[in-house]
């Protein structure tokens, strides 16, 4: 099939590339001239394992085209996927749909031929209906509108695209399911479920899924607080609970507040959808609240560990992205912790495998180190913020070269017992005291 994918971010670029890899001709469109220029010179704008190789393979085969010319891409395609951002509006929970509607209008102005518009972006319930209204106003009844939300995870995006647990398609016209069933046939033939529902149903499934996962994370994080006070290991609780197949073991790892480009904005988005339909989603509201508290709890704990004289102390941050295998910084806990430490007069050296971050360029006394040893050298406190593999077996004494230092492990990568034996002052999440 011939596809147009609008937006070459984490979702659009991965989906577009993977669709081309299963034999479709894909026009990937972005309004950012720099992104398209880089992509045409073989440089991916994002870090995602395996993506560069896949882009190059399909680009060379002529199945993957990068362009800023939306009109031409739409005219040459049968299906148009909208993969633009849907961030929160400033100072409210509501979803900013301006990128969606701008893209829709551009598509509508590009062709009078029959085509399908699909929202792959996460959009509130009723957005498909609103898109239809816009198209009607523009006298464009040549477009059908489908919802096909994306569930891929950054860092595992290619595998998730190829082997999704389910493909959710929402359409109010039954005959359109056939088109999508044949597009996704290479994935369903390998066992992925193809789930058909109404357009509004598909839109809500995405928010419901993300809010439920965020709830699991907040739940285990709150229990970790209880474990710390009651001398119990949170890992035992997660294992004991998670072995119940009705609960499941995933998303039960205590750690920092949930972050990233989806959970924070989608939990807020779901609350605002509830508001629109006059439904009080009190559980989701308290999850958002609990997550906010978690950020300040972990930040205050940093001060407790290092002591009130934080001024001029050296803090090493290992990893700053919200999770490993991605360069995405959106809503990462480090965005609160690092500026806080800097405001208190500490010197922060951070290292992240995906390189220096623009978010910290203007933060006082905050420097990027190009490797773990440089970041840790002479530190008073080492904070393990992100669970990258390269942080899992470090020789802290060799790296830090300081008589006295603490390790604050937000990911429980080490055991309290091994650190106790090594005489390293170690603080982790939700664990019993070892002495
Ligand atoms: P992103 O910010 O990484 O990328 C969006 C891209 O769209 C940008 O490159 C931007 O330049 C481009 N764009 C915006 N308007 C455009 C226009 N009119 N024409 C051409 N290009 C345009 O966003 P993302 O993280 O890929 O997320 C996209 C959507 O997918 C969001 O709704 C998000 O909630 C959802 N989603 C994201 C993830 C994820 O892990 N990032 C997973 C599932 C779903």
């Amino acid at each position: 099939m011939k596809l147009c994918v609008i937006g070459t971010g984490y979702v659009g670029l991965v989906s577009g590339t993977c669709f081309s890899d299963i034999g479709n001709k894909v026009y990937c469109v972005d309004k950012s001239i720099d992104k398209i220029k880089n992509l045409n010179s073989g440089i991916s704008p994002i870090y995602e394992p395996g993506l560069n190789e896949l882009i190059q393979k399909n680009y060379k085969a002529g199945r993957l085209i990068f362009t800023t010319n939306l009109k031409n891409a739409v005219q040459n395609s049968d299906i148009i996927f909208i993969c633009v951002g849907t961030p929160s509006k400033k100072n409210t929970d509501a979803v900013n749909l301006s990128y969606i509607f701008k893209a829709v209008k551009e598509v509508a102005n590009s062709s009078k031929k029959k085509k399908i518009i699909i929202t792959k972006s996460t959009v509130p319930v009723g957005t498909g209906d609103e898109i239809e209204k816009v198209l009607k106003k523009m006298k464009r009844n040549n477009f059908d509108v489908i919802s096909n939300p994306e569930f891929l995870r950054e860092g595992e995006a290619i595998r998730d695209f190829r082997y999704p647990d389910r493909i959710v398609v929402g359409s109010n016209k039954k005959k359109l399911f056939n088109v999508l069933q044949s597009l996704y046939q290479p994935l369903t033939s390998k066992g992925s479920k193809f789930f058909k529902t109404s357009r509004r149903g598909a839109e809500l499934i995405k928010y419901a899924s993300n809010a439920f996962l965020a709830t699991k994370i907040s739940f285990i994080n709150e229990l970790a607080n209880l474990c710390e006070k009651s001398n119990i290991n949170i890992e035992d609780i997660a294992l004991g609970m998670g072995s119940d197949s009705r609960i499941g073991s995933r998303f039960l790892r205590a750690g920092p507040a949930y972050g990233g480009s989806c959970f924070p904005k989608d939990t807020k988005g779901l609350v605002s959808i509830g508001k629109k339909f006059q439904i009080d989603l009190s559980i989701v509201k308290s999850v958002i609240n609990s997550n906010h508290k978690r950020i300040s709890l972990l930040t205050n704990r940093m001060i407790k560990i290092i002591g009130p004289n934080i001024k001029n102390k050296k803090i090493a941050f290992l990893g700053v992205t919200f999770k490993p295998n991605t360069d995405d910084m959106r809503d990462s806990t480090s965005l609160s912790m690092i500026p806080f430490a800097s405001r208190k007069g500490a010197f922060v050296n951070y290292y992240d495998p995906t390189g220096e971050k623009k978010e910290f360029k203007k933060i006082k006394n905050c420097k990027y180190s190009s490797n773990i040893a440089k970041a840790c050298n002479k530190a008073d406190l080492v904070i393990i913020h992100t669970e990258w593999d390269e942080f899992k077996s470090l020789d802290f004494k060799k790296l830090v070269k300081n008589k006295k230092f603490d390790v604050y492990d937000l990911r429980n990568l080490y055991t309290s017992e091994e650190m106790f034996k090594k005489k390293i002052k170690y603080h982790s999440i939700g664990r019993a005291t070892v002495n």
Side-chain angles (χ1 to χ4, degrees), residues 270-389:
L270 184 55
V271 168
S272 89
I273 294 167
K275 233 183 250 167
K276 186 178 158 197
F277 291 93
Q278 290 170 1
I279 293 298
D280 181 22
L281 296 170
S282 63
I283 295 177
V284 189
K285 277 184 192 166
S286 60
V287 166
I288 296 168
N289 191 22
S290 167
N291 203 52
H292 277 308
K293 281 195 206 150
R294 182 111 194 120
I295 299 172
S296 28
L297 188 140
L298 298 184
T299 308
N300 289 333
R301 193 156 171 219
M302 168 173 77
I303 304 293
K304 266 193 198 153
I305 293 170
I306 206 163
N309 299 327
I310 180 170
K311 199 163 182 220
N312 297 331
K313 290 273 170 70
K314 282 181 86 174
I315 303 180
F317 254 81
L318 299 185
V320 289
T321 53
F322 82 101
K323 67 172 183 178
N325 299 320
T326 181
D327 56 355
D328 200 342
M329 286 294 293
R330 287 177 281 188
D331 273 309
S332 174
T333 303
S334 67
L335 292 171
S336 303
M337 291 179 88
I338 290 181
F340 183 85
S342 147
R343 281 198 301 277
K344 294 277 176 193
F347 287 87
V348 176
N349 282 317
Y350 74 92
Y351 163 73
D352 192 277
T354 57
E356 194 171 2
K357 302 295 165 201
K358 64 177 187 322
E359 289 81 356
F360 299 132
K361 282 237 160 94
K362 287 190 179 147
I363 304 291
K364 213 174 146 195
N365 298 331
C366 174
K367 271 198 201 132
Y368 172 70
S369 303
S370 56
N371 60 50
I372 301 173
K374 279 186 191 162
C376 291
N377 188 32
K378 301 276 181 237
D380 298 294
L381 174 63
V382 177
I383 298 181
I384 303 171
H385 175 274
T386 315
E387 199 179 349
W388 288 90
D389 281 344

Side-chain angles (χ1 to χ4, degrees), residues 62-320:
R63 286 191 295 267
L64 187 58
I65 295 136
F66 298 111
T67 177
T68 51
N69 190 336
L70 186 142
K71 189 171 186 173
N72 182 56
V74 170
Q75 284 172 351
N76 282 299
S77 306
D78 313 305
I79 300 179
I80 296 109
F81 281 96
I82 298 187
C83 302
V84 300
T86 49
S88 298
K89 278 186 186 165
K90 260 196 182 149
N91 305 324
T92 82
D93 288 346
V95 183
N96 174 359
L97 289 172
S98 61
Y99 302 105
I100 295 279
F101 288 113
K102 193 163 179 285
V104 166
K105 283 177 192 158
E106 284 172 41
V107 170
N109 280 325
S110 300
S111 175
K112 286 185 178 162
K113 289 206 175 133
K114 202 145 185 62
K115 291 176 198 290
I116 300 174
I117 295 178
I118 300 184
T119 49
K120 212 170 221 329
S121 298
T122 304
V123 293
V125 175
T127 303
D129 306 350
E130 294 301 318
I131 293 174
E132 261 179 8
K133 277 188 205 158
V134 169
L135 293 169
K136 205 170 168 196
K137 227 175 168 181
M138 293 174 77
K139 299 196 169 55
R140 288 288 198 272
N141 53 9
N142 51 316
F143 292 103
D144 283 308
V145 182
I146 293 182
S147 166
N148 170 215
E150 183 51 59
F151 296 92
L152 60 77
R153 294 161 300 169
E154 289 170 17
E156 320 254 356
I158 293 172
R159 203 209 74 90
D160 283 352
F161 183 92
R162 286 177 171 165
Y163 304 98
D165 292 332
R166 76 305 202 189
I167 296 151
V168 173
V169 176
S171 170
N172 297 345
K173 287 187 187 166
K174 281 201 176 128
K175 62 174 190 196
L176 296 177
F177 287 122
N178 297 339
V179 183
L180 278 254
Q181 249 161 340
S182 79
L183 174 67
Y184 279 113
Q185 195 276 335
L187 311 188
T188 51
S189 67
K190 284 186 282 171
S192 297
K193 273 185 220 142
F194 187 89
F195 183 74
K196 301 179 209 168
T197 179
S198 65
R199 195 167 57 204
R200 284 182 166 210
E203 289 167 344
L204 186 54
I205 285 169
K206 174 67 193 179
Y207 280 96
S209 305
N210 276 359
F212 192 76
L213 293 172
T215 304
K216 271 186 116 177
I217 295 172
S218 294
F219 182 85
I220 204 71
N221 279 343
E222 287 198 354
L223 280 188
N225 297 341
L226 177 61
C227 284
E228 279 162 24
K229 293 280 182 204
S230 52
N231 228 16
I232 298 169
N233 279 337
I234 189 65
E235 280 103 341
D236 293 349
I237 306 308
L239 203 67
M241 279 174 68
S243 308
D244 184 328
S245 59
R246 291 170 304 175
I247 297 172
S249 58
R250 298 177 69 192
F251 283 76
L252 285 184
R253 287 201 59 192
Y258 60 74
S261 62
C262 294
F263 290 177
K265 81 169 175 66
D266 292 346
T267 41
K268 288 198 279 175
L270 184 55
V271 168
S272 89
I273 294 167
K275 233 183 250 167
K276 186 178 158 197
F277 291 93
Q278 290 170 1
I279 293 298
D280 181 22
L281 296 170
S282 63
I283 295 177
V284 189
K285 277 184 192 166
S286 60
V287 166
I288 296 168
N289 191 22
S290 167
N291 203 52
H292 277 308
K293 281 195 206 150
R294 182 111 194 120
I295 299 172
S296 28
L297 188 140
L298 298 184
T299 308
N300 289 333
R301 193 156 171 219
M302 168 173 77
I303 304 293
K304 266 193 198 153
I305 293 170
I306 206 163
N309 299 327
I310 180 170
K311 199 163 182 220
N312 297 331
K313 290 273 170 70
K314 282 181 86 174
I315 303 180
F317 254 81
L318 299 185
V320 289

